[in-house]
Amino acid sequence: MVRRNLNIMNILFLTLVEIDTIDERGIFEDLLRKFKNEGHDLTVVTSKERRTGIKTNLKISDGVTLLQVKTLNIQKNSILEKGIGILAVEFQYLKAVKKYLNIKKFDLILYTTPPITFVKVINYIKRRDNAYAYLLLKDIFPQNAVDLNFIKKDTFIHKYFRKKEKALYEISDTIGCMSPANINYLLKNNPELDAKNIEINPNVIEPIHFNPSLIQKEEIRVKYQLPLDKKILVYGGNLGKPQGLSFLLESILTIKNEKCFFLIVGSGTEYSRINEWFIENQPKNAMLISKLSKKEYDQLLSTCDIGLLFLDNRFTIPNFPSRLLSYLEMKLPIIAATDAFTDIGTIIEEHNCGYKVLAGDKADMKEKVESLLQQNLEEMGENAYNLLINNYTVEISYQKIIEKLKPYS
């Protein structure tokens, strides 16, 4: 590894998330903005799905080099095209990097899962530039697909992706995991990995202080036709299979406490099914709102009282949903209805900012909601915010990454 000036590095970030600017709020944009603000040169290789009609291109945006690579439709699409798209993206990215970034040399490669198919790109840059490779492990594929019966275990496709997964881990100098349970899972199922190269480096944000007045809160609730006299239990974010949202709908029917109201905000592959459920059941204690802009969502979230997390109870991998951070930022106590393997609910309870429930346990869910309604939500909300500040800010993640590079400075 060559000696590097840690104050001025050329950084390459690989992602499937479509990024047009790092000035927007988001777990990736916030961290990238931190690197830029610290004086580093930043290049982002991002996807532009074919539905956008945009061809592969290189541009400068807000002082950041953006290489947008035309890919198949990978997000919110059929399993077939998504699978083919994930397989093809490695070659599409490698071709684009060789064509557009053939002169620029990089000190650090940052990349996330999904996907696990960036190995050839990472290997190319590592060998060419002697760069440091840091993986931010956001999910564990293909096991998550096996858990949800999208892929059958020990089939050809499963073995192929498992081989790709192991290759990604092997080529990474450091793997940043979401939580202690993630580290334990990774080492147990990949004993060839060196524990010294694995650390906790979860989703992070650059927190913004939200403190709307009571009048402003009422105005926002009136705008969305939400009740003014009830505690709003909000689920916001992706509405997909992994979230196991059938249990959320069951909870709406089960919990008829007159003090609370359920709000679902988001989009995804399950939105149509959930919308049909609302039309059929006409619940008096719940509302469904389609996806909002980040600014609108934050404003709405700031008027809510309790955040909800849901995960499919079939998962055997320890997921750690990023929507947790929005709830913590808004000082919302949380109920996490998840599988038995994730530690997100345990962390919430240890910091006294909510409760965990085993997804599918309707009696326990009802008990925890009613118990939370009796608690001091303001105090628990402060605990939630402290959990965010002490564990999930961009400064913490940035310093962890820089610390790994210090021996080479």
Side-chain angles (χ1 to χ4, degrees):
M1 193 73 64
V2 298
R3 294 292 173 182
R4 309 188 186 285
N5 181 352
L6 299 188
N7 296 317
I8 307 173
M9 290 191 295
N10 287 340
I11 298 170
L12 179 67
F13 180 68
L14 304 172
T15 180
L16 274 184
V17 176
E18 292 193 10
I19 295 177
D20 293 305
T21 173
I22 65 167
D23 283 346
E24 296 177 350
R25 299 196 70 213
I27 57 172
F28 299 129
E29 291 90 342
D30 285 9
L31 181 58
L32 293 175
R33 196 163 54 248
K34 172 65 177 177
F35 275 96
K36 178 195 171 188
N37 291 343
E38 291 294 331
H40 302 291
D41 183 272
L42 191 61
T43 300
V44 178
V45 185
T46 177
S47 168
K48 272 296 177 183
E49 297 187 354
R50 66 183 180 92
R51 62 165 65 94
T52 66
I54 298 175
K55 296 181 179 179
T56 298
N57 68 92
L58 184 73
K59 65 180 182 179
I60 305 295
S61 176
D62 306 311
V64 175
T65 301
L66 278 178
L67 174 54
Q68 298 178 320
V69 182
K70 182 180 178 181
T71 65
L72 296 177
N73 295 329
I74 298 173
Q75 307 295 332
K76 300 175 183 177
N77 196 33
S78 69
I79 296 296
L80 178 60
E81 182 167 359
K82 183 172 184 176
I84 296 173
I86 290 174
L87 290 173
V89 73
E90 184 171 39
F91 302 97
Q92 292 166 332
Y93 271 46
L94 181 59
K95 180 180 178 181
V97 165
K98 287 182 175 181
K99 178 179 179 179
Y100 292 96
L101 303 176
N102 60 326
I103 297 176
K104 201 168 192 176
K105 304 299 181 185
F106 297 99
D107 302 294
L108 170 66
I109 317 167
L110 287 175
Y111 45 99
T112 74
T113 55
I116 58 170
T117 51
F118 278 157
V119 175
K120 291 185 185 297
V121 187
I122 298 162
N123 191 45
Y124 171 73
I125 296 295
K126 278 194 73 171
R127 289 184 175 181
R128 190 192 73 177
D129 302 344
N130 204 13
Y132 193 94
Y134 196 112
L135 167 62
L136 294 165
L137 189 70
K138 302 304 183 186
D139 69 2
I140 299 173
F141 181 86
Q143 185 57 47
N144 56 359
V146 172
D147 290 342
L148 298 182
N149 297 321
F150 293 154
I151 296 176
K152 289 187 177 180
K153 189 176 179 63
D154 293 329
T155 57
F156 170 79
I157 192 67
H158 173 253
K159 290 179 180 179
Y160 174 82
F161 280 125
R162 181 71 172 122
K163 184 178 179 181
K164 283 284 189 181
E165 178 193 13
K166 282 184 171 289
L168 186 69
Y169 298 157
E170 181 181 357
I171 202 172
S172 301
D173 295 303
T174 297
I175 301 174
C177 291
M178 300 286 284
S179 70
N182 272 251
I183 291 179
N184 294 336
Y185 181 94
L186 205 61
L187 291 173
K188 179 181 178 181
N189 291 275
N190 303 276
E192 69 280 3
L193 294 177
D194 189 339
K196 296 195 302 294
N197 299 329
I198 302 174
E199 64 182 7
I200 295 175
N201 196 340
N203 289 325
V204 293
I205 60 172
E206 182 181 8
I208 293 178
H209 186 65
F210 291 85
N211 189 27
S213 66
L214 289 176
I215 293 177
Q216 289 172 322
K217 285 186 176 182
E218 286 188 1
E219 289 174 347
I220 294 170
R221 286 201 181 188
V222 168
K223 174 183 176 180
Y224 291 100
Q225 299 181 331
L226 292 167
L228 302 178
D229 59 343
K230 299 181 186 295
K231 301 297 184 184
I232 304 293
L233 283 71
V234 59
Y235 173 89
N238 184 43
L239 306 177
K241 296 286 186 184
Q243 284 69 49
L245 294 174
S246 291
F247 184 50
L248 171 54
L249 302 181
E250 291 172 6
S251 299
I252 292 172
L253 293 179
T254 303
I255 302 170
K256 297 295 186 180
N257 192 309
E258 62 183 14
K259 296 180 181 178
C260 70
F261 187 89
F262 290 87
L263 173 63
I264 304 174
V265 186
S267 64
T269 56
E270 292 290 278
Y271 180 86
S272 295
R273 181 176 74 86
I274 294 170
N275 188 45
E276 289 174 4
W277 183 91
F278 267 81
I279 293 172
E280 180 180 343
N281 290 274
Q282 295 291 311
K284 305 281 189 215
N285 62 334
M287 178 183 291
L288 173 65
I289 298 177
S290 60
K291 183 179 180 180
L292 300 172
S293 70
K294 177 62 176 169
K295 182 179 180 180
E296 290 174 319
Y297 175 67
D298 285 341
Q299 289 175 341
L300 179 57
L301 201 59
S302 70
T303 73
C304 297
D305 301 284
I306 296 169
L308 299 175
L309 293 173
F310 285 85
L311 286 171
D312 194 294
N313 62 9
R314 292 173 292 175
F315 276 124
T316 63
I317 59 169
N319 289 296
F320 211 90
S322 62
R323 65 182 53 82
L324 167 71
L325 305 186
S326 295
Y327 298 157
L328 299 181
E329 184 180 38
M330 297 297 173
K331 300 184 178 182
L332 302 184
I334 297 156
I335 294 179
T338 70
D339 56 86
F341 294 91
T342 181
D343 54 352
I344 193 169
T346 301
I347 291 172
I348 288 168
E349 289 194 343
E350 286 176 347
H351 289 82
N352 194 27
C353 57
Y355 295 114
K356 64 178 178 180
V357 175
L358 185 64
D361 190 335
K362 290 186 282 188
D364 192 34
M365 183 67 173
K366 182 177 180 181
E367 179 182 329
K368 293 295 170 57
V369 168
E370 293 183 347
S371 174
L372 194 55
L373 291 173
Q374 303 302 317
Q375 303 291 319
N376 184 333
L377 297 185
E378 185 174 339
E379 180 180 326
M380 296 183 79
E382 289 297 330
N383 294 337
Y385 190 72
N386 289 334
L387 174 59
L388 171 70
I389 296 302
N390 293 327
N391 296 275
Y392 307 118
T393 66
V394 292
E395 179 66 30
I396 294 171
S397 181
Y398 174 81
Q399 291 299 336
K400 282 178 177 285
I401 296 169
I402 292 298
E403 195 69 28
K404 286 296 180 179
L405 287 160
K406 281 185 177 179
Y408 312 106
S409 65

